[in-house]
Amino acid sequence: MSIDDLLSLDPGVRSDFLATWLGYTEAKGDPHLRAAISALYESITPDEVLVHSGAEEAIHNFMQVFLEPGDHVIYLAPAYQSLYDVAVSLDCEVSPWRLEQGENGWFLDMDLLPDLIRPSTRLIVINTPHNPTGYSLSAAQLAQVASIADENGIFVFCDQVYKGLEWSDGPHRWFCDICDNSLSLGVMSKSYGLPGLRIGWIATRDQVLYKKLLNYKCYTTICNSAPSEFLATIALRHHGAILDRNIALIQENIDFAAEFFDRHQELFVNNEPQAGPIAFHKYLGKDSVEDFCASLLESQGVLLLPGSVYGVDGYVRMGYGRADFQDCLIRLDRFLS
Ligand SMILES: Cc1ncc(COP(=O)(O)O)c(C=O)c1O
């Protein structure tokens, strides 16, 4: 969306946007924005929301203030790199809790989690809806993670940047609404499709952690961009309309791709996403997946992300949230034939 598109959702606010004051903003995040964010939760108040520059700043800062060398971290794998690599850079030990390829897409073995826990385990990092598999933990699985973490005194960092893009079993709850000893990560970049705003946030009931994060932010960005905070507040006031539009686009693209995957069963396992805009399709070709992606890019200008980026060979990541998805899939089809 452009700024113009966004302001069209609420025509009365154009002059307010132009009058936005360009001084420093509040380090915690603009109070109107924090109110709009906290309204997304069942139990989180604006003072339990800390706004950051995108989700990435929040991941980095959280790991810096929370982890000590030697701590053990369990993370849902494969993963967005910084969800485990920042911990590695701090001399922590990390153990992947791996999603697995089943006959009908990805699945998660909940029984593996307790076995990964060690006396030094301080943190479990999960991400749902999941990048890159499109897997979505069910309400029962989230409750199980919360109870295993509680029993063992382990903190949970739940990356929910794709939350709101769930269609089959309704929107899931924010993890910090079901577990005290946790933090939920949200952002405007993914479900809302507004990464240029660079507005993300954490929500947590842990006030000690909150204060440490607030202090640490004074060494990274101090405060957020005032125009971005204003625009994010407008987008969140219209969150239903934006999410409905984005879910409709993703579903239309998934339906369009179904016929493609039916015709190319010798080359791909579909692994349709359960939620969110991305899927991790198994590639059955004889060549390396990097070579396949490189030739496709060169010949058609279409990028499929090779799974090796996530340390998983033999997979390609496809994005279903783009308006030009169908055109790109037609070009992939042309390349194959
Ligand atoms: C799972 C996950 N978490 C966090 C981020 C970082 O988001 P942002 O670009 O808003 O900082 C990404 C971006 O791709 C992501 O996929």
Side-chain angles (χ1 to χ4, degrees):
M1 290 172 104
S2 64
I3 292 178
D4 195 33
D5 295 336
L6 189 51
L7 291 178
S8 300
L9 293 172
D10 207 337
V13 299
R14 270 173 201 273
S15 56
D16 296 342
F17 177 59
L18 292 178
T20 300
W21 179 250
L22 294 177
Y24 281 104
T25 64
E26 281 193 33
K28 286 180 174 182
D30 178 73
H32 297 104
L33 175 58
R34 284 186 289 116
I37 293 170
S38 77
L40 304 172
Y41 294 76
E42 294 161 39
S43 62
I44 291 293
T45 65
D47 283 333
E48 293 167 327
V49 172
L50 182 58
V51 181
H52 287 84
S53 292
E56 186 50 49
E57 184 193 22
I59 296 171
H60 175 84
N61 290 8
F62 166 78
M63 303 260 177
Q64 301 297 324
V65 305
F66 185 84
L67 292 172
E68 301 286 343
D71 285 347
H72 177 238
V73 178
I74 298 169
Y75 70 98
L76 191 64
Y80 180 67
Q81 186 176 358
S82 61
L83 291 176
Y84 60 93
D85 233 7
V86 180
V88 171
S89 79
L90 293 166
D91 291 330
C92 296
E93 292 180 38
V94 299
S95 301
W97 175 23
R98 288 191 201 286
L99 283 150
E100 291 164 53
Q101 172 75 62
E103 260 180 51
N104 300 312
W106 292 93
F107 75 93
L108 183 61
D109 185 347
M110 296 300 294
D111 293 339
L112 295 178
L113 180 58
D115 292 344
L116 292 169
I117 294 173
R118 304 178 190 170
S120 58
T121 307
R122 281 195 67 218
L123 179 66
I124 297 173
V125 179
I126 55 174
N127 163 218
T128 182
H130 184 249
N131 171 9
T133 62
Y135 185 82
S136 179
L137 273 81
S138 67
Q141 286 175 313
L142 289 175
Q144 215 176 326
V145 174
S147 93
I148 293 170
D150 271 350
E151 277 162 26
N152 292 278
I154 301 170
F155 193 86
V156 180
F157 182 100
C158 188
D159 179 331
Q160 296 184 282
V161 297
Y162 294 100
K163 191 179 172 326
L165 298 181
E166 299 105 342
W167 48 84
S168 50
D169 54 356
H172 287 163
R173 297 171 74 191
W174 291 97
F175 200 79
C176 61
D177 276 330
I178 60 171
C179 177
D180 283 343
N181 204 20
S182 75
L183 172 157
S184 288
L185 178 70
V187 82
M188 299 309 295
S189 311
K190 308 296 176 182
S191 316
Y192 299 95
L194 299 169
L197 292 180
R198 306 312 299 136
I199 293 288
W201 65 86
I202 60 96
T204 184
R205 287 203 277 257
D206 182 336
Q207 279 299 309
V208 175
L209 173 65
Y210 186 99
K211 287 200 181 84
K212 285 186 187 168
L213 284 169
L214 181 58
N215 287 342
Y216 195 87
K217 193 182 157 190
C218 296
Y219 294 93
T220 49
T221 57
I222 302 177
C223 66
N224 308 292
S225 143
S228 287
E229 289 194 318
F230 184 97
L231 294 169
T233 308
I234 301 304
L236 287 176
R237 286 188 189 146
H238 296 272
H239 69 275
I242 299 177
L243 294 177
D244 286 351
R245 191 192 76 143
N246 292 347
I247 288 176
L249 178 66
I250 293 166
Q251 285 186 318
E252 195 187 303
N253 289 337
I254 290 175
D255 290 348
F256 186 82
E259 185 270 336
F260 167 90
F261 284 112
D262 271 354
R263 273 190 293 109
H264 292 291
Q265 289 182 26
E266 78 301 340
L267 207 53
F268 296 105
V269 176
N270 185 349
N271 288 335
E272 206 174 273
Q274 296 172 1
I278 48 188
F280 211 36
H281 304 290
K282 192 170 173 62
Y283 176 67
L284 305 170
K286 298 274 176 281
D287 53 343
S288 88
V289 84
E290 283 86 3
D291 288 348
F292 173 74
C293 292
S295 329
L296 170 67
L297 182 63
E298 200 174 314
S299 128
Q300 299 292 330
V302 171
L303 175 66
L304 290 181
L305 196 60
S308 48
V309 166
Y310 292 87
V312 185
D313 279 336
Y315 284 84
V316 290
R317 195 188 83 161
M318 246 190 227
Y320 287 80
R322 291 181 183 274
D324 63 355
F325 174 87
Q326 298 184 12
D327 173 49
C328 291
L329 198 67
I330 290 167
R331 284 191 273 156
L332 168 57
D333 217 357
R334 195 182 303 145
F335 173 73
L336 295 177
S337 58

